[in-house]
Amino acid sequence: EDQVTQSPEALRLQEGESSSLNCSYTVSGLRGLFWYRQDPGKGPEFLFTLYSAGEEKEKERLKATLTKKESFLHITAPKPEDSATYLCAVRGSNDYKLSFGAGTTVTVRA
Amino acid sequence: NAGVTQTPKFQVLKTGQSMTLQCAQDMNHNSMYWYRQDPGMGLRLIYYSASEGTTDKGEVPNGYNVSRLNKREFSLRLESAAPSQTSVYFCASSEAIQENSYEQYFGPGTRLTVT
């Protein structure tokens, strides 16, 4: 069974203080690792898809990287508007569904 | 483009009542999904529809039924609501379940409380 574990559960940052979120996974034949952002009271918003180890993708202050066992979401010089819950999900080769982690809630203080 | 829309936004039911959650997408996607989100548990798949005319069970289908009305619309029905079904429900869609480009796009959610 596919499993996704995200750490830490919560992260409090000062504006400008860079940090990383971790997503550890076990999956049979990775067909994609997905990062989403979720604001309070809203649905998840798609950020990135990573397909193979060594792949990296960037969007504004966010950068996602992938190894064979984990993915990192790096937040560089965060701003208060980066405050959100970040969700990680995987899809295995023998499966139709995404398996989600419980998320990391990031709070950025001005 | 509105993307994925859901109605209602909020609902309170009494145990044993029934209701249908509505979902529609305007992205011409083939596949649609229903999830529930509970604190500390992540998103869990209830049912999905790979294409118009097909539906299949996900991880937690008990107590729910679905209908893929057409390519745009996918509804979720609770026949006899129970307090354990108190949750936030999200509908999502993607281009095609078979594709490697499998990004799912989510609606704003329905917050359901069963008393």
Side-chain angles (χ1 to χ4, degrees):
Chain A
E1 183 177 326
D2 301 342
Q3 288 195 328
V4 179
T5 303
Q6 292 188 247
S7 62
E9 288 185 17
L11 188 61
R12 293 176 64 85
L13 300 172
Q14 201 67 34
E15 184 172 4
E17 177 189 2
S18 301
S19 189
S20 295
L21 285 57
N22 178 264
C23 171
S24 297
Y25 64 90
T26 55
V27 66
S28 175
L30 182 70
R31 288 187 69 178
L33 184 139
F34 305 83
W35 282 99
Y36 287 83
R37 169 191 170 125
Q38 186 173 23
D39 293 307
K42 297 193 175 181
E45 175 189 347
F46 171 73
L47 291 174
F48 305 109
T49 308
L50 301 168
Y51 293 103
S52 57
E55 190 175 359
E56 300 181 350
K57 288 196 176 172
E58 288 187 67
K59 180 179 181 179
E60 295 181 356
R61 294 175 293 282
L62 300 177
K63 179 179 174 181
T65 62
L66 182 65
T67 73
K68 288 187 178 180
K69 293 185 178 181
E70 57 192 350
S71 177
F72 293 93
L73 184 66
H74 307 277
I75 310 178
T76 302
K79 298 182 177 182
E81 53 261 44
D82 295 321
S83 297
T85 296
Y86 292 88
L87 303 173
C88 172
V90 296
R91 182 187 181 195
S93 61
N94 297 322
D95 215 342
Y96 51 82
K97 66 178 178 67
L98 297 185
S99 296
F100 281 84
T104 294
T105 299
V106 174
T107 303
V108 182
R109 295 166 291 174
Chain B
N1 278 355
V4 179
T5 57
Q6 294 182 236
T7 56
K9 285 185 165 47
F10 301 93
Q11 185 70 49
V12 179
L13 292 178
K14 294 187 177 180
T15 298
Q17 287 185 319
S18 62
M19 78 161 294
T20 300
L21 282 63
Q22 306 286 354
C23 173
Q25 52 91 10
D26 62 2
M27 295 176 283
N28 200 35
H29 284 169
N30 287 306
S31 303
M32 298 185 73
Y33 316 83
W34 276 105
Y35 290 88
R36 61 178 289 172
Q37 187 175 40
D38 302 292
M41 297 195 70
L43 286 152
R44 292 182 292 168
L45 184 66
I46 305 171
Y47 269 93
Y48 71 102
S49 171
S51 60
E52 187 179 353
T54 69
T55 61
D56 283 287
K57 296 178 181 179
E59 300 173 72
V60 289
N62 291 345
Y64 306 96
N65 284 302
V66 291
S67 296
R68 184 74 182 265
L69 305 170
N70 48 56
K71 189 172 184 178
R72 291 187 61 249
E73 298 173 290
F74 189 37
S75 63
L76 178 72
R77 182 160 179 82
L78 287 70
E79 290 291 352
S80 179
S84 60
Q85 294 179 305
T86 293
S87 188
V88 182
Y89 291 86
F90 289 101
C91 178
S93 69
S94 67
E95 284 192 3
I97 209 165
Q98 299 84 358
E99 297 297 326
N100 278 338
S101 177
Y102 188 60
E103 294 87 8
Q104 295 184 16
Y105 296 87
F106 287 79
T110 294
R111 283 141 191 85
L112 175 67
T113 302
V114 183
T115 61

